[in-house]
Amino acid sequence: MDVTSQAGQIDAAGAATAQPQPIPGLRRLVSRKVRERALGYTLLAPALIIISVFELFPIAFGFYISLCDWRLGCQAIIGADNYLRGLQDAAMWNSLLVTATYSIITVPVQLGLGFLIAVFLFQRTRGHELFRMMMFLPYITSTVASAAVWSYIYSPDSGLLNTALRAIGFSGLRWLGEPAGVFALIAQQFGMTLPGWAHGPSLALVSVSLYTTWVFIGYDITIFLAGLVNINGELYEAAKVDGARGWNLLRHITVPLMSPTIFFLLIVTVIGTFKAFNHIFVMTGGGPSDSTQTASILIFQQLYAFNRYGYAAALSFILFTVILALTLTQNYVAGRRVVYE
Amino acid sequence: MSVGLLLAACGPAAQPAAPTAAPAKPAEAAKPAESKPAAPAAQAAATTAPAKPAEAAKPVTVSNPPTSPEMVDAIDLTGKNVEVVYWHNRPQKDQEMLTTLLDEFSKSNPYGIKARAEIAGASYPDVYNKVSAAIQAGQPPEISVAYQNQAAFYRAQNAIIDINPFLKSKKYGLSDEDMKDYFQTFLDSDLNPQFQGERLGFPTQRSIEVMYYNADWLKQLGYNEAPKDWKTWEEAACKASDPAANKYGWAFRHDASNFASQVFSRGGRILAPDGASYVFNSEAGVETTAMIQRMFKNKCAVEIPTSERNGEQNRFAAGQVLFTFASSSGLPFYQEAVSKGSNFKWDINMLPNNGKPAVNLYGASVSIYKTTPEKELAAWLVIKFLGEKAQTTKWAVNTGYLPVRQSAKADVLNTYKADPKWGAAADSYARMFDWFQYAMVESPVAGYDPVRDLIDKEVATKAATDANADPKKLVEDATTKANAILKENAPKR
């Protein structure tokens, strides 16, 4: 378009025909914006390409697989059949229940214990650096290796735990091989029988949860310590002047000001427990009697043992939806209780 | 993709050169084929009756895969320089030996075929997963190790081919003498009932499930020989058990083959002969389940956790377990473990039985993937080479597996007897050849892997952990589920 300023043109009849008036500097403005955007996208391109190729495309392709009867290729598009099958599959619901139970056992213990140990280590007691390192070591150790070592500790006939139990006069337990509920086992010791709903999580699941706590508590402690460092010391001074001591300081200053850290760890840990796979696969493979078959283990088995590629993909999207819903719920419920200084 | 070749068959006088023989002189070589893409109509399987001498000059259209020996005969590898990649799961030591063998093949074959081996994982499931991914990516290897049920799964996806036409090829196949030299039970184990007896793999090794027992300990208990029936076996195992001293009669391993071996030895089967249904809910299956349950109820057995690698072998070597059921390929490892451990006298035998001996024959075969007729033929020639007497002898000696040819037996045994590392295990190894006549195969059908998992979790483990479970109900429920899996994985026709 010709943007030179013109008053108009006189047509044959002498009437002036109005011409659109160009905005001064528009071309420069537009071209600058285009240039800026082009530069922006150029700088973003490497990351966008990597994310598209290695994340977005696999997700989209995974979704496509979930709509297929897929063996070693798409035999037929079956729409939502895999999803409907998943929602009607008792094994899927059982795996979600096991996952939720695992999360309920692990998250409070991990965060509660981690927080207390962090507060203790924050007091600069003698040897606190050594303690920090010891606590963090399990987290940086190979999960598969440490899970294998713990399997030996849990070994029913020659494991460390049962050897210790026998030494003090108790009979050994089957630990990772025990599908019975922990409450049912305790009641058994007293000659009682509990109804099915009161059996509690299997001893195998509790054993796995114990290992999980041992591994991840180091990470939680490290994050908690970083949060504690950020609390302004003057607040403690002021509270002490007002007569506040130990528990009150913790209750009214430390915990509220640590709430963003607690909230972050809560979100991360819950997501982590719902995705847990490696150590459970090494320690129990989902057994005994599916008592440790979390959603991730079920998906893996459907994929590799049953060759149900489409179904496994659909289960993955169901699990993703569950995790997303949980995270949004946590954001809504706990997010409002977070105190930002 | 189908590739058609129009070939002029060589005259009856032209004798096929053995694949590993020196290259034929030009005058003797088969006439090079005129290769051109097949018309769509010609891409269908062209099975023809064996050609009469008068018809010998008729051109043969080769489909992919070739469906008759004549089609295989018509493939010409001259100047094609085909490369064959072999995926396996053996450790580095065996990879080196395999490389040496394949280098020898590459140098000696008259067709310019280059063969090489690649480790595709540390276990059969690793190879299976990698192959599955490769098939989906359209880049399978030319050959790989595969269990019969895995091969059936690949075949259901049209990813591997029937080897029978290659085997029966006049030009490239095995002679009658060679066929007789192979252990027939080994060859038969690759004929798949789901695919009308197609040969979906070819054996390069085999092993059987045997009973390892501590002979010294057994003697102390008052038994001069290995128990031959289940009643005596159970009695001896329970006599040996002393949980307080961490001593048990039997090490229970989470492995469906363990269960299958016991079912066979009681006269039962895992799969019906026609491959149409699972039948381990028979009396033999119930008896096996009930015995596992009793063994744990009476504290005569110890469970080996899945996470404990070689647990039963280590405990056996430490003198903590009287009996284990394991693969014969473990013989050298048992020998080594015992000599480093409690160093007692031990031996192997068939599992006890109900009057009719039976042994569980297993071991992966080598399957050929659907690529091009030339590559498929080259792959077959590699497999054929690996099965020759010299190669199967080397392989058996190196790995502890059984050789696939009868003519290799003496050489293998002599090598073992001369090697002090083998010790008494060499004599035990020799006895296994007499047991092949009782060989049975678990389940060569697609979808057996999840059924194996089912047998372990829903039958054996439940029997071991729940003293009140009903053995009959356990096997009935598991068989029902197994048949649903069988149906789901059955080839779509």
Side-chain angles (χ1 to χ4, degrees):
Chain A
M1 174 189 171
D2 185 7
V3 289
T4 41
S5 184
Q6 292 176 351
Q9 290 180 329
I10 309 296
D11 67 6
T17 49
Q19 289 293 319
Q21 296 302 305
I23 302 161
L26 178 64
R27 198 170 79 169
R28 241 176 308 153
L29 186 72
V30 167
S31 64
R32 198 181 72 201
K33 275 196 172 174
V34 167
R35 278 205 310 275
E36 275 179 6
R37 281 186 183 170
L39 177 66
Y41 282 116
T42 306
L43 294 172
L44 280 173
L48 282 175
I49 290 167
I50 289 167
I51 288 168
S52 300
V53 171
F54 293 104
E55 285 191 32
L56 299 179
F57 172 72
I59 290 169
F61 196 72
F63 184 68
Y64 165 64
I65 290 174
S66 76
L67 302 176
C68 280
D69 171 17
W70 188 288
R71 290 283 154 180
L72 292 181
C74 190
Q75 312 288 314
I77 299 275
I78 54 170
D81 279 13
N82 283 322
Y83 291 89
L84 295 172
R85 180 181 173 177
L87 295 173
Q88 291 163 10
D89 188 350
M92 199 279 289
W93 290 110
N94 176 66
S95 76
L96 282 178
L97 180 67
V98 169
T99 310
T101 310
Y102 172 69
S103 192
I104 288 164
I105 298 169
T106 309
V107 175
V109 175
Q110 220 176 283
L111 296 188
L113 209 57
F115 182 73
L116 291 177
I117 293 170
V119 169
F120 167 74
L121 290 176
F122 193 63
Q123 309 308 312
R124 306 268 169 202
T125 46
R126 187 185 291 182
H128 70 277
E129 282 167 344
L130 179 71
F131 272 115
R132 282 187 196 187
M133 191 190 72
M134 279 170 57
M135 290 291 178
F136 198 65
L137 267 179
Y139 181 72
I140 56 170
T141 305
S142 156
T143 311
V144 171
S146 61
V149 170
W150 272 69
S151 298
Y152 277 101
I153 291 171
Y154 281 131
S155 180
D157 60 318
S158 54
L160 194 68
L161 271 172
N162 275 356
T163 306
L165 281 175
R166 289 189 191 107
I168 54 173
F170 289 96
S171 56
L173 294 165
R174 297 187 65 244
W175 301 109
L176 296 171
E178 184 56 78
V182 279
F183 303 139
L185 289 169
I186 293 166
Q188 221 173 59
Q189 296 298 312
F190 299 101
M192 292 157 58
T193 309
L194 294 178
W197 57 265
H199 282 193
S202 71
L203 180 60
L205 189 65
V206 172
S207 304
V208 170
S209 303
L210 190 63
Y211 163 83
T212 308
T213 303
W214 175 80
V215 169
F216 290 98
I217 204 167
Y219 172 78
D220 298 335
I221 290 167
T222 307
I223 302 294
F224 278 132
L225 282 169
L228 287 167
V229 168
N230 286 328
I231 298 176
N232 191 340
E234 288 173 4
L235 294 170
Y236 288 109
E237 299 298 329
K240 280 175 186 173
V241 168
D242 288 341
R245 288 290 173 269
W247 169 249
N248 284 327
L249 290 175
L250 187 75
R251 162 83 179 77
H252 295 289
I253 294 176
T254 311
V255 172
L257 292 177
M258 283 290 285
S259 58
T261 310
I262 295 169
F263 179 59
F264 163 75
L265 282 174
L266 181 71
I267 298 271
V268 166
T269 312
V270 168
I271 291 173
T273 52
F274 268 76
K275 292 197 308 177
F277 176 80
N278 289 1
H279 55 285
I280 302 174
F281 187 74
V282 171
M283 291 170 109
T284 65
S289 304
D290 298 341
S291 67
T292 61
Q293 192 180 57
T294 57
S296 300
I297 297 277
L298 176 73
I299 290 166
F300 180 86
Q301 285 172 343
Q302 290 298 319
L303 180 71
Y304 284 107
F306 288 81
N307 300 310
R308 293 168 179 160
Y309 291 77
Y311 185 52
L315 289 180
S316 301
F317 279 96
I318 291 173
L319 179 62
F320 164 75
T321 309
V322 169
I323 293 174
L324 183 68
L326 264 172
T327 308
L328 292 174
T329 307
Q330 283 183 100
N331 254 320
Y332 180 75
V333 174
R336 290 181 304 174
R337 298 203 167 110
V338 174
V339 177
Y340 292 99
E341 218 178 337
Chain B
M1 185 188 284
S2 217
V3 177
L5 294 169
L6 200 62
L7 295 148
C10 42
Q15 290 302 309
T20 51
K25 293 172 194 166
E28 295 172 339
K31 201 174 172 185
E34 183 195 335
S35 179
K36 61 180 181 187
Q43 295 189 15
T47 41
T48 52
K52 294 170 193 167
E55 297 171 337
K58 259 192 179 176
V60 177
T61 305
V62 180
S63 65
N64 186 19
T67 51
S68 69
E70 291 74 25
M71 284 191 201
V72 175
D73 286 343
I75 300 169
D76 183 23
L77 292 172
T78 313
K80 299 278 176 16
N81 297 322
V82 178
E83 189 184 39
V84 174
V85 177
Y86 175 21
W87 280 3
H88 66 92
N89 63 319
R90 301 299 302 173
Q92 186 58 34
K93 175 176 71 84
D94 296 347
Q95 160 73 4
E96 284 162 16
M97 193 195 69
L98 205 46
T99 300
T100 307
L101 293 177
L102 293 179
D103 284 349
E104 192 184 317
F105 170 82
S106 300
K107 282 178 198 148
S108 63
N109 80 85
Y111 310 105
I113 302 165
K114 295 276 174 274
R116 62 188 168 87
E118 284 179 7
I119 298 175
S123 65
Y124 290 109
D126 283 354
V127 178
Y128 176 65
N129 293 335
K130 190 170 175 178
V131 165
S132 296
I135 291 169
Q136 290 177 76
Q139 294 181 312
E142 279 68 39
I143 49 176
S144 87
V145 290
Y147 268 106
Q148 289 75 13
N149 57 299
Q150 294 169 341
F153 174 69
Y154 302 146
R155 178 64 185 84
Q157 316 311 314
N158 221 5
I160 62 167
I161 62 168
D162 179 15
I163 297 175
N164 272 326
F166 297 86
L167 186 74
K168 292 170 183 168
S169 156
K170 284 194 177 74
K171 192 173 173 184
Y172 303 108
L174 288 176
S175 65
D176 289 347
E177 202 179 308
D178 277 326
M179 286 295 282
K180 282 178 191 149
D181 193 20
Y182 271 90
F183 289 106
Q184 193 56 46
T185 48
F186 293 8
L187 289 177
D188 291 349
S189 64
D190 282 312
L191 297 172
N192 197 283
Q194 272 184 319
F195 294 93
Q196 291 76 45
E198 282 185 14
R199 189 178 295 283
L200 302 182
F202 202 77
T204 55
Q205 61 184 35
R206 280 291 182 268
S207 60
I208 55 174
E209 181 111 336
V210 294
M211 175 174 73
Y212 291 81
Y213 65 95
N214 183 326
D216 284 346
W217 192 357
L218 203 58
K219 202 162 190 171
Q220 283 169 24
L221 295 168
Y223 301 89
N224 291 321
E225 58 174 5
K228 290 196 166 48
D229 63 274
W230 283 109
K231 192 170 175 289
T232 312
W233 181 88
E234 195 174 340
E235 185 187 83
C238 288
K239 253 191 202 179
S241 290
D242 180 6
N246 202 22
K247 288 190 181 283
Y248 294 92
W250 180 46
F252 165 80
R253 190 162 47 96
H254 287 272
D255 180 6
S257 293
N258 234 250
F259 181 85
S261 304
Q262 293 176 63
V263 171
F264 292 158
S265 70
R266 288 182 168 93
R269 300 182 65 95
I270 296 296
L271 186 79
D274 62 359
S277 62
Y278 281 100
V279 291
F280 57 88
N281 54 343
S282 60
E283 200 180 325
V286 177
E287 271 181 42
T288 299
T289 311
M291 193 201 73
I292 292 171
Q293 192 176 41
R294 276 197 310 276
M295 290 294 285
F296 278 92
K297 213 172 180 173
N298 301 328
K299 296 188 167 55
C300 305
V302 61
E303 179 190 2
I304 306 296
T306 45
S307 55
E308 201 175 314
R309 207 169 143 80
N310 302 324
E312 77 278 20
Q313 178 188 295
N314 296 337
R315 289 163 196 241
F316 181 84
Q320 295 171 352
V321 169
L322 178 62
F323 298 116
T324 67
F325 301 149
S327 167
S328 60
S329 63
L331 266 168
F333 303 103
Y334 267 75
Q335 172 69 33
E336 192 182 355
V338 173
S339 62
K340 284 179 182 169
S342 297
N343 211 11
F344 46 82
K345 191 169 177 294
W346 63 279
D347 208 341
I348 59 166
N349 208 335
M350 283 186 286
L351 270 67
N353 58 70
N354 285 3
K356 188 170 173 263
V359 293
N360 187 357
L361 175 75
Y362 47 64
S365 290
V366 181
S367 294
I368 300 177
Y369 292 85
K370 189 180 172 186
T371 48
T372 64
E374 291 83 2
K375 282 190 168 195
E376 288 155 11
L377 173 58
W380 158 247
L381 294 176
V382 170
I383 293 172
K384 183 181 165 184
F385 170 82
L386 291 175
E388 285 171 4
K389 186 191 163 186
Q391 284 72 254
T392 193
T393 302
K394 279 182 196 167
W395 187 252
V397 167
N398 199 68
T399 60
Y401 277 97
L402 296 157
V404 291
R405 283 178 183 253
Q406 301 183 60
S407 58
K409 180 181 159 182
D411 287 355
V412 173
L413 291 179
N414 290 339
T415 310
Y416 284 158
K417 282 175 179 168
D419 185 353
K421 184 189 80 179
W422 272 79
D427 295 322
S428 306
Y429 184 98
R431 297 166 58 213
M432 286 192 291
F433 290 92
D434 302 329
W435 303 340
F436 294 161
Q437 58 187 310
Y438 309 120
M440 292 185 75
V441 180
E442 283 177 44
S443 171
V445 295
Y448 182 52
D449 277 333
V451 172
R452 285 176 64 83
D453 200 44
L454 192 76
I455 289 171
D456 174 36
K457 278 186 179 173
E458 310 262 316
V459 182
T461 304
K462 277 187 178 169
T465 55
D466 186 354
N468 302 314
D470 176 9
K472 187 164 174 55
K473 190 178 183 315
L474 289 180
V475 290
E476 286 291 353
D477 291 352
T479 306
T480 304
K481 287 180 184 174
N483 281 323
I485 293 168
L486 180 69
K487 195 177 167 188
E488 182 190 344
N489 285 275
K492 313 272 186 288
R493 298 201 188 284

